[in-house]
Structure formats: C-alpha cells, structure tokens
Amino acid sequence: MFQRLPLFNVFQDGITSSIRPTLTFDTRNNQLFPSAGVFIQGSVELASKVFGSQNEFVRYQLTGRFYYPLTSDNSVVIS
C-alpha cells in the first residue's frame, strides 16, 4: 500500500549506486569573486537496479546564478 507513495523509499537502508550527468553554462568573469556573468548548471541523477542499486530514484537539479555590477569598479554587485 505505501509503496505507491512518492516518498516511500526516501529513508530506506541499502546500497545506492547512481549516475549523474551534468551540463554547465558559465560566463562569469571570475569563478571565486564574480562581478559579471551567468552560471547555470543542470543535472539528472538516476539510481537503478541496472547500476546495482537497491534504492531506485530519479532526481533533477537546476542551479542558476546571475551577477550584475552596479558600480564601474565592480565593488557593488547584484547576484
């Protein structure tokens, strides 16, 4: 009965083997202290019995960061 619920196997023990390909688009002018540019990253993680996993799931993740300087010397940046 509970196996059809979306969060059924979230807290199960066992081996989890997964693969997660990631695509990244990065136009930041500095990776540590950016003052201009865009960083967008998307990934899909798949855990399946095919990879030897006892827990099965698909997880989607999207991250986006935008940097825009407000002053000419880049001392103030909106992110």
Side-chain angles (χ1 to χ4, degrees):
M1 175 177 154
F2 292 108
Q3 294 175 348
R4 294 190 336 210
L5 295 174
L7 298 177
F8 172 72
N9 67 353
V10 171
F11 300 108
Q12 286 186 343
D13 291 334
I15 296 172
T16 302
S17 298
S18 65
I19 185 169
R20 181 176 51 182
T22 303
L23 291 175
T24 303
F25 178 76
D26 191 357
T27 63
R28 296 174 295 175
N29 58 352
N30 186 321
Q31 289 183 358
L32 290 178
F33 302 106
S35 59
V38 174
F39 175 82
I40 299 172
Q41 187 174 60
S43 66
V44 177
E45 184 176 4
L46 174 64
S48 174
K49 290 181 182 179
V50 174
F51 305 123
S53 181
Q54 294 174 340
N55 300 313
E56 295 184 70
F57 62 85
V58 176
R59 180 183 311 167
Y60 303 95
Q61 184 174 4
L62 181 64
T63 303
R65 298 184 184 120
F66 306 90
Y67 303 91
Y68 185 79
L70 291 179
T71 58
S72 60
D73 63 350
N74 294 335
S75 62
V76 179
V77 177
I78 290 179
S79 65

